[in-house]
Amino acid sequence: MYRSTQRAAIVGAIAASALALAAPAALATAQGGISRTCFTVNTCQTDPPVWFPGGTLSVDADVHGTGPAQWVVRRDSGGTVCQSGFAAEDPARSWVCNNVSAGWLYGIVSGGSPSVNIGLRW
């Protein structure tokens, strides 16, 4: 009896942990975003542009190799929303663009060597 009670407590703790971890992931999916990885070139663009409802935009970028790298978020109608330079040697990083107005956006990352990734999320 003691072993089955112990086993039930462990199973319950694992289930509770799984539910706690699933909630933020579901929220991130419900909010929105897009990402793209390009394996054979050192410039990558999210395509097609995505509708951003406005507010705070998070940008995730990762490149490999050495040297300068850059990401930029642009409007489909033209114009740069935000951008930043970084070193290709840096680990994957995230940046925040505040007070971005609604519209169709796309992201571009370039630099380093092939296998680059750009992501936009809100």
Side-chain angles (χ1 to χ4, degrees):
M1 178 74 170
Y2 176 74
R3 284 185 183 243
S4 63
T5 303
Q6 219 176 11
R7 190 174 304 139
I10 291 170
V11 169
I14 291 170
S17 297
L19 286 175
L21 291 173
L27 180 62
T29 302
Q31 288 178 342
I34 187 170
S35 69
R36 181 156 183 219
T37 301
C38 299
F39 296 101
T40 59
V41 294
N42 69 344
T43 298
C44 195
Q45 175 178 321
T46 59
D47 190 39
V50 294
W51 177 256
F52 175 67
T56 301
L57 176 67
S58 295
V59 180
D60 306 314
D62 186 25
V63 303
H64 297 91
T66 60
Q70 179 184 18
W71 62 263
V72 61
V73 176
R74 293 196 173 129
R75 295 197 177 281
D76 190 36
S77 59
T80 298
V81 173
C82 54
Q83 64 184 9
S84 182
F86 61 101
E89 300 87 356
D90 291 352
R93 294 175 52 192
S94 295
W95 294 262
V96 174
C97 303
N98 292 304
N99 302 316
V100 178
S101 58
W104 292 96
L105 305 178
Y106 63 96
I108 303 169
V109 66
S110 61
S113 56
S115 190
V116 297
N117 177 271
I118 180 81
L120 308 177
R121 58 189 167 84
W122 55 92

